[in-house]
Amino acid sequence: MQTSIFRSPWFSGVTIVAFFAFVILILIPVYVPRPAFIPGFAPPPDMWPRTISIIGIGLGVLLFILALTGRMPASELIESDGSSIPTQIIRFIGAMVAFVAFILLMPYVGFLLASMALTGAMILLTGERDYRYWIAGLSLIGPVLLQLIFHSALGTQFPVGILTKPFGF
């Protein structure tokens, strides 16, 4: 069975590399000034976005290499969950809507609640419906743990929303 270029694993690898290269080269500024309240030994503000982008580029290159060497057949990458191309396009649009909603909700409900909503939406957009308790647990506990780690261990403050400020989160 002949697959189109858009459904081949090597094209997916190239697309992933292009996306993360766009993020690291265009979206993340070349120089991000270090605020005065961050101590000199702490990592700069652009460290994590750059780290994630470099990891994404590496995974895209790995997928590309595995596809070229024949170790990643198209059947393992494309439609592994049985979804069609229109379903995948709808899920992509849903993911973009979820990210826009996250950005719009953050000033009002803060990082914690907006992250819970985003995490739940992203898990549901994968098509998973069987593990409802796991989905709820990851959506609720994951962002709380993330905020606790960054707040306690790294001293990073996340945005507090206008509506949730009286409640302390």
Side-chain angles (χ1 to χ4, degrees), residues 102 105-117 143-144 146-147 150 157-161 164 169:
F102 174 77
L105 280 175
M106 179 105 57
Y108 299 105
V109 299
F111 173 80
L112 186 61
L113 294 179
S115 295
M116 288 176 178
V144 170
L146 181 72
Q147 185 164 1
F150 273 84
Q157 299 293 324
F158 287 109
V160 178
T164 56
F169 60 91

Side-chain angles (χ1 to χ4, degrees), residues 9-10 12-13 16 58-68 72 77:
W10 68 266
S12 296
I16 291 168
L59 290 173
V61 168
L62 178 65
L63 178 61
F64 180 75
I65 291 170
L66 288 175
L68 287 183
M72 184 68 164
L77 180 67

Side-chain angles (χ1 to χ4, degrees), residues 44-67:
D46 63 343
M47 184 191 97
W48 288 113
R50 288 192 187 283
T51 302
I52 298 300
S53 296
I54 290 168
I55 291 170
I57 289 172
L59 290 173
V61 168
L62 178 65
L63 178 61
F64 180 75
I65 291 170
L66 288 175

